[in-house]
Amino acid sequence: EKGGYPSFMLKEIAEQPRAVADTLLGRIDGSGALSLDEVRIPPEALREADKVVIVACGTAFHAGLIAKYAIEHWTRIPCEVELASEFRHRDPILDPQTLVIAVSQSGETMDTLMALRHAREQGARVLAICNTNGSTIPRESDAVLYTHAGPEVAVASTKAFLTQLVACYLVALYLAQVRGAKDADEIRAVVRDLSAISRSVERVLETMEPVRELARALAHKDTVLFLGRHVGYPVALEGALKLKELAYMHAEGFAAGELKHGPIALVEDDLPVVVVVPSPRGRSVLHDKMVSSIQEIRARGARTVVIAEEGDDEVVPYADHLILVPAVPTLLQPLVTTVPLQVFACELATTRGNEVDQPRNLAKSVTVE
Ligand code: F6R
């Protein structure tokens, strides 16, 4: 059942190009526009929504953090993202104009379920993004957009995360479409970019041997830091979470701009720091700022592991280890930059002798609060 792979996690990492493509299947019409009739929330309600609130836990929360950039950029609707376990205990402000999106692979996470129940009690509409047909979260929501990752067996979420991102991008574009926030051609162009991503993920997977070698070389370390900016920041958080849960290692993700406000004090000689570099095309200010962050940590002795776009020559002099990913539009970059971090954590954990499919103290579906 592991299809010849040594672990479910490796099998599920390898299934990602297919999972991404499957999540788009049937959701794009012949003209290249979105057809999401399955989201049964009436278009008037989506037009009237004045706020989006995303609730989720763990890796699904990281997908939500990335979704915020896409939703606000494409629709101009304010979007908040909150850990489900925090959300409902702070008396959040919700009304019928609030669209709540609950993201969950299992559809059974109790914290997320309680958050969505609370939201519905306040009159908000809830859209679930979920991987498990007929599970509790979609059953209790007003509408559901299923991710088509297929069953995810390994405790650490991989292919479900990538498909949650795809589903979030689809919802963001759909909101932009029904609200007329973007014209049809622009939406079609993004849909084309999204459709090309599956192939880019496949290319990333073909070039992972150096990442595995690096993971083996760093397996004796105590700490690894991850830095990102913009959509790369949640990717850094996700890279750190994968390393904690699989390798039982101290790992932390930071927004690169926050370095100077504290975390840079952690940098010491030979500390591995993984840096997710934004594309040098498009919003180049993000890229330039990241290059300065890499220079700063390297000047203080960090061993830099740089994940950058192919053709990004500017980062080369500051990368102790360089991991190149295909060029894709900035907002979609997490779909390719997350993959090396999954492979890194999986290989590092295996080298340390850990059971990657079943990390200690964790359960696949967290049905207690
Ligand atoms: C991390 C991981 C967890 C889950 C979280 C939410 O790899 O798997 O952080 O993402 O427990 O689970 P779901 O998506 O089932 O609600």
Side-chain angles (χ1 to χ4, degrees), residues 57-60 103-107 109 155-157 164 241-242 245 366:
C57 306
T59 289
V103 187
S104 174
Q105 187 285 129
S106 63
T109 301
V155 165
S157 190
Q164 283 162 354
L241 179 60
K242 285 281 137 342
E245 63 178 336
V366 185

